[in-house]
Amino acid sequence: MYTPVAADVAKLRNTTGAGMMDCKKALVEAEGDFEKAIEILRKKGQKVAANRADRESTEGAVIAKVNDDKTRGVIIALNCETDFVAKNEEFVKLAHDLAEMALGKTKEELLASDYKGITVADKLIEQTGVIGEKIEIGSFETIEGPFLGAYIHAGNKIAAITSLSANVNGSEEAAKAVAMQVAAMNPIALDETKVSQETIDKELEIERDLLIKEGKPENIIDNILKGKMQKFYKENTLVHQAFIKDGNMSVSDYVKSIDADLKVVGFVRVSLT
């Protein structure tokens, strides 16, 4: 029977990321044929993936990337089943690699892209076999703008990218600070004009019912509701929220302190929590 040498086992492990014993078994089964051993490991991944297709993959790593000229960004979530895997150094590295590849692509284009000789889709199946958990790309958000800044919260559970209206002195620091705001405060929209009518109607309905139960006269309820909605926008829309680094100013005021004409024009956020 063929007995693999340590160098071949190490080479297969470096190529596939599979465990040492799995690599050794694959080489034995392939009788030393390196390419056949890789195929054996991939087939194992397909089998494991099929068996775990209905599993929940709610853990993982959320990674944000911005291109060199700060005009295009992407956030992806590489999902797995357990926090133990999500914290694995190789898993996080793969998430960073895939996010870098995702710049300028759709999710479908990313899955079809080449990753070290195989498609990303096949790599995910391969890693499912290696790790023994369902591995997939979950959230996939893209953004373009005049100047972008990204922030990944410690632990890789939340990431955000914000877009500013121009690249001026101080934009890099400001964009990152606002991205931290988005990650921490989870605004529902950029400003009041971007809040969906459905959300507005629901909020008005809730507040109206509360005012009626409090016994407020019908003729003053509409005026009270206007104030309630202003408070709602201040708490829940990005530009009107109190800036987390200085609660005495809004996010909009903070950005204007960098440059009088500077504005926040967009954001995306992905969270596993």
Side-chain angles (χ1 to χ4, degrees):
M1 184 176 71
Y2 168 78
T3 302
V5 297
D8 288 343
V9 175
K11 181 181 176 183
L12 184 58
R13 189 179 186 188
N14 289 335
T15 300
T16 65
M20 189 173 293
M21 288 308 298
D22 286 334
C23 290
K24 188 175 180 179
K25 288 177 182 178
L27 282 165
V28 169
E29 186 178 339
E31 296 181 341
D33 187 318
F34 193 78
E35 294 301 322
K36 188 176 179 181
I38 291 175
E39 187 61 29
I40 287 168
L41 289 171
R42 286 178 186 162
K43 285 180 178 178
K44 179 189 174 186
Q46 291 170 351
K47 184 177 180 180
V48 174
N51 290 338
R52 304 189 77 84
D54 60 347
R55 295 296 186 103
E56 292 281 327
S57 57
T58 55
E59 293 292 341
V62 179
I63 306 298
K65 294 287 183 180
V66 172
N67 66 352
D68 290 341
D69 63 6
K70 312 294 185 185
T71 58
R72 180 177 289 167
V74 65
I75 304 177
I76 73 163
L78 183 62
N79 293 120
C80 58
E81 296 177 34
T82 65
D83 189 51
F84 178 78
V85 168
K87 292 177 178 177
N88 179 273
E89 185 178 335
E90 288 301 313
F91 181 86
V92 175
K93 181 182 182 303
L94 177 61
H96 275 277
D97 288 348
L98 297 183
E100 195 74 48
M101 290 175 63
L103 281 166
K105 293 183 175 72
T106 64
K107 183 176 180 179
E108 292 71 25
E109 287 170 342
L110 172 63
L111 289 170
S113 298
D114 177 81
Y115 183 87
K116 299 181 180 179
I118 60 175
T119 67
V120 168
D122 285 340
K123 182 65 178 178
L124 298 180
I125 292 172
E126 176 191 273
Q127 289 302 295
T128 295
V130 169
I131 294 169
E133 289 190 9
K134 182 178 181 179
I135 307 296
E136 62 181 351
I137 293 175
S139 298
F140 188 101
E141 297 288 340
T142 61
I143 183 172
E144 294 185 6
F147 190 88
L148 305 181
Y151 171 74
I152 304 172
H153 191 60
N156 303 312
K157 301 298 184 185
I158 306 172
I161 300 176
T162 51
S163 175
L164 301 184
S165 59
N167 181 4
V168 297
N169 186 34
S171 283
E172 187 164 355
E173 179 184 350
K176 183 176 180 180
V178 178
M180 290 177 66
Q181 173 91 21
V182 172
M185 301 307 294
N186 192 20
I188 63 171
L190 181 66
D191 58 29
E192 62 272 31
T193 68
K194 302 298 183 182
V195 180
S196 72
Q197 191 59 49
E198 180 183 0
T199 299
I200 293 171
D201 291 343
K202 184 177 180 180
E203 190 65 23
L204 285 170
E205 181 183 354
I206 292 169
E207 292 294 346
R208 183 179 291 276
D209 287 346
L210 288 172
L211 290 171
I212 291 171
K213 287 175 182 177
E214 290 172 6
K216 300 295 184 185
E218 186 68 34
N219 63 328
I220 67 167
I221 284 180
D222 285 346
N223 283 334
I224 296 175
L225 285 175
K226 289 179 183 177
K228 295 277 189 183
M229 290 308 295
Q230 288 304 311
K231 181 182 178 183
F232 176 79
Y233 295 139
K234 184 176 180 180
E235 293 175 348
N236 294 283
T237 62
L238 177 58
V239 298
H240 297 305
Q241 284 180 336
F243 184 44
I244 55 173
K245 291 189 173 183
D246 184 350
N248 293 318
M249 64 171 70
S250 68
V251 171
S252 178
D253 290 336
Y254 162 68
V255 171
K256 286 180 180 177
S257 73
I258 304 299
D259 184 280
D261 296 322
L262 196 61
K263 297 178 181 178
V264 185
V265 294
F267 72 89
V268 288
R269 179 184 187 273
V270 170
S271 173
L272 292 179
T273 58

